[in-house]
Amino acid sequence: MRGKVGCGRVVRRPAAAWAAVLVLLAGVAPSLAARPALAAPGCFGGKPAPAPRATGDQWAQRWLDPRRLHRLGTARTVRVAVLDSGVDSSHRQLAKAVDRGWDLVADEAGGTIDCVGHGTAVASLIAARPDGDASLVGVAPEARIIPIRVSENATGSTRYRDVTPGRLAAGIRRAIALKADVIHVSFAVGSGSAGLRSAVADAVRRQIVVVAAVGDDTVGETYPAAYPGVLGVGAVDQSGQRWTDSGSGPHMDLMAPGVNLVAAARVDGHVAIGGTAAAAALVSGAAALVRGNHPKWTAAQVAEHLLATADGTPGGAYSVDYGYGSVNPYRALAEPIGTPVPSPSPKPMPAAAVRPSPEPGMPATTRRALLWAGGVGLATALVAVGYAAAVALLRHRRRVSG
């Protein structure tokens, strides 16, 4: 059965708003979909002109601070499989990053045909190489990208109707065969399958870190994010709040920036991209860095360390809207290694981001009245709530650990 599909949403802008977007993103092209949807050999249509080059500051780069981050670690030996629409390796920031992958659409080796540009953009968030004053640099710029083309969407639509649980399962198995260390899945289908569950379980057994978007405009659990051992990722905006279209639920583990991100366009230049697939790409890059620094760690140890070093969010230590918080690659590399315990305390957001004010405390008179009138009842309730929270936390940690 074909499930509802959610993928990283391309930010659409009408031509009249281009100037505003260029100011906002310091020269970034307005959208992937606004440009001709067809580009690479094997796609209908001609080769597109290069997009504008982004050289200004951008909020997600300030948030993650990759240039400072990269002084702490490398992902030189790490291979990240990207299950998306393919990756155009002709982009100057990806040319030295992309290995030979697999094209499930054509059923042949390759994966470097990208008819819509989404996979190219996602791959660049993971591993784009620095390029002078370009705004874009990947979270793990020394990682290798293995493109796994699972979609041939050539209409510019962000709904990838040709993606099914079966195709995702085949993509994961191909990534395993190509010796991926991290598997990034841009898609979220509304119904799983025995084949997809088995493919994920096989990847986890082989100590591959699996990261999946929870989906855009989705309701309820999505797959493969909901399977044991998978890091399900949602998106936050510039204020640190959950992006309004980000999926949520018990399959949520981490958040990451997912609105107006600068990414690579096909051929050259940059575009704006958003959605949970883009957010998941940042987590995949962080996983690649941790794996590169700790090559002997199991996949569960990598995942648990990312959870333990996540920044707290308005949702607290864990919530179905925010998971364990927003990924912090710098903390993941810099903080001492120990038994991972999710951080309950938030780290200050970037200067441009604002957190909601804390809830006011209960008045002292009310507290005394409650203690006097219902001490025993209150204690019983607290025990019950604490037990329920512990069970929920244990369930999610077991799911991530596989």
Side-chain angles (χ1 to χ4, degrees), residues 16 26 50 57 119 127 149 155 207 229 233 238 247 275 283 300 307 314 345 350 362 364-365:
D57 196 13
R149 187 182 181 219
T155 65
Q207 304 308 322
V233 181
Q238 292 94 323
V283 174
L307 300 182
S345 58
M362 183 181 293
T365 53

Side-chain angles (χ1 to χ4, degrees), residues 55-77:
T55 58
D57 196 13
Q58 59 151 317
W59 77 274
Q61 294 281 324
R62 290 197 309 272
W63 186 314
L64 299 173
D65 198 3
R67 298 184 192 278
R68 174 169 167 255
L69 165 67
H70 298 153
R71 294 195 289 267
L72 294 180
T74 176
R76 190 175 296 121
T77 62

Side-chain angles (χ1 to χ4, degrees), residues 224-251:
Y227 286 131
V230 179
L231 281 171
V233 181
V236 294
D237 61 21
Q238 292 94 323
S239 70
Q241 304 296 310
R242 174 176 164 267
W243 177 49
T244 54
D245 291 333
S246 175
S248 63
H251 57 313

Side-chain angles (χ1 to χ4, degrees), residues 374-396:
V376 175
L378 180 60
T380 302
L382 287 174
V383 170
V385 170
Y387 177 78
V391 170
L393 182 62
L394 181 61
R395 176 186 171 223
H396 283 278

Side-chain angles (χ1 to χ4, degrees), residues 312-396:
T313 67
Y318 178 82
S319 76
V320 296
D321 285 332
Y322 289 92
Y324 290 101
S326 185
V327 70
N328 188 326
Y330 189 88
R331 285 185 64 190
L333 295 186
E335 291 194 358
I337 301 168
T339 303
V341 178
S343 171
S345 58
K347 181 181 177 181
M349 288 285 192
V354 179
R355 292 185 181 278
S357 300
E359 292 294 325
M362 183 181 293
T365 53
T366 305
R367 286 199 303 270
R368 285 195 297 269
L370 285 173
L371 289 172
W372 177 261
V376 175
L378 180 60
T380 302
L382 287 174
V383 170
V385 170
Y387 177 78
V391 170
L393 182 62
L394 181 61
R395 176 186 171 223
H396 283 278

Side-chain angles (χ1 to χ4, degrees), residues 7 50 68 102 121 129 138 152 170 217 250 292 299-300 305 312 343 396:
C7 182
R68 174 169 167 255
W102 192 265
R129 276 39 176 166
E152 60 178 341
D217 301 316
H305 194 64
S343 171
H396 283 278

Side-chain angles (χ1 to χ4, degrees), residues 266-289:
R266 290 166 298 156
V267 183
D268 205 4
H270 302 98
V271 293
I273 185 175
T276 58
L282 300 180
V283 174
S284 294
L289 283 177

